Amino acid sequence: MTRILTASGWSVLAVLVVLFGALRLGEASGGMSRWLRWYGDDLLFMPLVLTAALFAHRLGGAGASWVLPVRQGLAAAVVVGALFEGVLPSLAGHGTADPVDLVAYLAGWVFFQALLNRPAPDATPCGPGRSCRSSGKFTKPETAFQET
């Protein structure tokens, strides 16, 4: 089985999930600071979504050394921010377009890049002239699509 995250990555992800659950409970009980209520979800959203994307790629055969490219993560944060803070509030007629939410989405992406978007420590890197297979073994590109 391909390692999906580093050991510290699993720990960070567990903390994020617990924090997200605590935010939901805090909002339901009404006993939470308004700053956390307003921006906590937005801050945690990108690390959780981008980690799900990382999981999908690695389980889909990209291998444990694969990391989400910086441009794709940044583009995801920008698109999510534009969608949730620009397009949807104007279409729905309610909701608030808050520019601080954009900063929270970008901060969440930075958090993901810094702590979660890392290759597994025991992964063999895929380098030039090699392609990764879902089995974790490497092969030359010209034989990558041949039956083995």
Side-chain angles (χ1 to χ4, degrees):
M1 171 101 177
T2 300
R3 263 184 114 179
I4 303 299
L5 286 177
T6 63
S8 62
W10 280 112
S11 301
V12 170
L13 182 61
V15 168
L16 288 175
V17 169
V18 168
L19 285 173
F20 191 76
L23 280 172
R24 300 278 101 213
L25 289 173
E27 285 179 9
S29 70
M32 177 184 290
S33 103
R34 60 184 171 176
W35 287 99
L36 279 175
R37 196 170 59 242
W38 291 340
Y39 304 115
D41 290 344
D42 301 324
L43 186 62
L44 294 175
F45 184 76
M46 290 312 300
L48 292 172
V49 168
L50 293 174
T51 301
L54 187 65
F55 270 43
H57 278 280
R58 287 183 178 175
L59 287 174
S65 65
W66 189 84
V67 295
L68 189 71
V70 171
R71 281 193 236 165
Q72 288 181 11
L74 180 59
V78 169
V79 168
V80 163
L83 182 66
F84 289 137
E85 302 307 320
V87 175
L88 292 178
S90 64
L91 287 178
H94 62 341
T96 304
D98 185 356
V100 179
D101 285 346
L102 296 173
V103 174
Y105 291 129
L106 290 172
W109 166 72
V110 169
F111 182 84
F112 168 79
Q113 277 298 125
L115 297 176
L116 292 165
N117 197 23
R118 298 281 172 254
D122 59 349
T124 308
C126 297
R130 304 171 111 185
S131 65
C132 273
R133 288 192 169 181
S134 59
S135 65
K137 297 182 180 168
F138 300 100
T139 186
K140 294 180 181 176
E142 58 270 13
T143 62
F145 296 101
Q146 294 178 356
E147 292 292 325
T148 54

